[in-house]
Amino acid sequence: MSDPVIVDMLRTPFGKRGGWISPIHSAALLGMVQCGVIERIGIAPELVEEVVGGCVTPLGEQYGHITRTSWLYAGLPPQTGATTIDAQCSTAQRAVQLVAGQIALGAMDMGLACGVEVMSRAPLTAKAGTGLGTPRPADWAVESPDQYTGAERIAAHRGFSRADVDAFGLRSQQRARAAWDAGRFDREILPVTVPTEDGGTTVVTRDQGLRETSMEALAKLTPVKEGGIHTAGTSSQVSDGASAALLMSAQRAGELGVKPRARLRAQTIVGGDLTYLLDGPIEAGRKVMSKLGMSVSDIDLFEVNEAFASVPMSFARVHGVPDDKLNVGGGAIALGHPAGATGIRLLATATNELERQDKSIALVAICASASTTAVIIERL
């Protein structure tokens, strides 16, 4: 068995719906990070044996094997194999798991994982009403709530109040702004050149979703779901962005003289509970820690995606995660959540923080209904 390592990770800045990143075609955006991570390491692209990536809404501009399309559009070698997946919000992290698994089995020595979502141009709601039928049979009887209902059920189950989730939303914004102001996201960002309406270009280097707010301002927002407690200020943002991670076997990295940044110590995938839908990180976290005989006290940092405030809050309450270990640079509430790209953003942020704090171990989890993933990484 080979030892898979993460050599490097990059992502674009995340733009708001209809915002800074939206003029760029999804395939072009994904190709940018595919090229970017390879160029930063300085290897020949033909050494990459397979690229695994995808998005959550493979329709319109994101249809037709976007992983392969973006690779070729970026001028990368056609002999590299390509696989496109849809694992909902865990797509990019699942791509990392699949590449790592192939390396561990010895099926390949080097692969690239990636993901993209330009939700301004291919919104998640586009999956419905295509004129080609519905995704579920007419006699479908499995109770499967929408994500907003799931988030509200989690909040009610854990006893979280509107003030509780508002405080978490404020925390995300404040931590993300502090992290950006200190340059803590700089290493994971690939600047993106975007065309402007006047025929020129502008370079985007920063996430667009950060905003000034307060508990008073958050309290005035209308809940997303009638009778609920989550608002736009405590939910992940509809965003545009792409991400990529380059993985190798430790032996291959040594042969090339490349210094890896992290090792995948353990990984898992679980299906979401049909009642709460988004509470899967709890079981995924428990499962992945058990693989290594670890407990919360053995983990230095936790990144749990902020799909809604109640998701990381629930994880932290059940597992007893200290506040100063959880999402220390904020999360998707402030930074944005381009669904197909977020999984690698979480890994990149966790690795950066381990390096900054001179820590060793991070647990990264992302809720995704049927494909909730969790990994434990070790800084190298």
Side-chain angles (χ1 to χ4, degrees):
M1 299 289 285
S2 299
D3 186 13
V5 293
I6 302 175
V7 174
D8 208 358
M9 292 157 282
L10 271 180
R11 68 174 179 95
T12 69
F14 288 171
K16 293 174 66 174
R17 178 166 45 190
W20 296 342
I21 304 295
S22 62
I24 303 177
H25 191 287
S26 302
L29 193 66
L30 183 55
M32 290 177 188
V33 289
Q34 290 171 342
C35 279
V37 72
I38 292 171
E39 290 173 356
R40 190 156 85 170
I41 297 305
I43 62 165
E46 57 266 23
L47 294 177
V48 178
E49 297 169 71
E50 183 182 13
V51 53
V52 179
C55 62
V56 175
T57 307
L59 292 175
E61 293 183 1
Q62 297 178 162
Y63 175 72
H65 205 348
I66 190 170
T67 307
R68 174 73 168 175
T69 302
S70 58
W71 186 261
L72 296 178
Y73 182 77
L76 295 165
Q79 63 265 34
T80 299
T83 301
T84 295
I85 64 170
D86 168 15
Q88 299 295 283
C89 294
S90 70
T91 292
Q93 190 172 119
R94 186 68 182 134
V96 170
Q97 291 183 328
L98 293 172
V99 171
Q102 290 291 93
I103 292 172
L105 287 171
M108 64 183 180
D109 292 317
M110 186 187 307
L112 189 142
C114 58
V116 65
E117 210 78 43
V118 181
M119 300 168 82
S120 296
R121 302 166 74 95
L124 297 184
T125 53
K127 288 188 172 184
T130 61
L132 299 175
T134 59
R136 294 170 178 170
D139 59 350
W140 176 268
V142 179
E143 195 270 348
S144 183
D146 62 74
Q147 58 182 335
Y148 306 105
T149 298
E152 295 299 342
R153 287 178 177 177
I154 292 170
H157 182 56
R158 303 296 178 202
F160 299 142
S161 67
R162 170 68 185 266
D164 292 333
V165 296
D166 281 355
F168 192 91
L170 179 62
R171 166 196 190 277
S172 183
Q173 288 287 346
Q174 291 174 334
R175 289 190 174 191
R177 183 169 296 279
W180 261 116
D181 290 348
R184 285 157 50 191
F185 291 115
D186 289 349
R187 184 171 182 180
E188 67 194 57
I189 292 292
L190 176 72
V192 173
T193 300
V194 182
T196 55
E197 291 183 357
D198 61 5
T201 60
T202 186
V203 179
V204 179
T205 61
R206 190 176 173 98
D207 296 316
Q208 191 178 4
L210 275 71
R211 52 188 180 267
E212 295 290 346
T213 191
S214 64
M215 285 295 288
E216 291 74 23
L218 288 168
K220 295 177 182 178
L221 296 177
T222 302
V224 175
K225 197 171 187 65
E226 185 176 354
I229 62 174
H230 289 88
T231 67
T234 52
S235 308
S236 57
Q237 297 185 36
V238 174
S239 309
D240 305 327
S243 61
L246 185 65
L247 290 86
M248 302 181 189
S249 66
Q251 180 179 348
R252 190 71 169 122
E255 292 169 353
L256 294 172
V258 172
K259 187 180 186 305
R261 296 183 65 194
R263 173 184 291 113
L264 282 161
R265 292 285 307 278
Q267 59 173 301
T268 195
I269 179 170
V270 302
D273 181 277
L274 290 180
T275 299
Y276 299 104
L277 190 71
L278 305 176
D279 227 7
I282 291 174
E283 177 56 28
R286 181 181 294 117
K287 189 175 179 180
V288 79
M289 284 189 286
S290 71
K291 289 177 181 288
L292 299 175
M294 286 185 170
S295 65
V296 166
S297 63
D298 298 311
I299 310 294
D300 297 307
L301 294 170
F302 293 82
E303 284 288 333
V304 180
N305 192 44
E306 295 175 2
F308 296 87
S310 61
V311 175
M313 290 172 67
S314 179
F315 181 93
R317 174 167 292 183
V318 171
H319 285 298
V321 177
D323 183 68
D324 62 357
K325 286 187 175 186
L326 177 69
N327 297 5
V328 297
I333 290 171
L335 301 173
H337 179 28
T342 295
I344 289 173
R345 197 283 294 171
L346 293 165
L347 287 167
T349 300
T351 303
N352 288 336
E353 277 299 316
L354 288 174
E355 292 169 347
R356 185 182 73 87
Q357 297 187 30
D358 194 23
K359 302 289 188 181
S360 297
I361 304 293
L363 189 155
V364 182
I366 181 166
C367 60
S369 183
S371 51
T372 292
T373 55
V375 301
I376 290 177
I377 59 173
E378 178 183 10
R379 177 175 69 94
L380 296 174

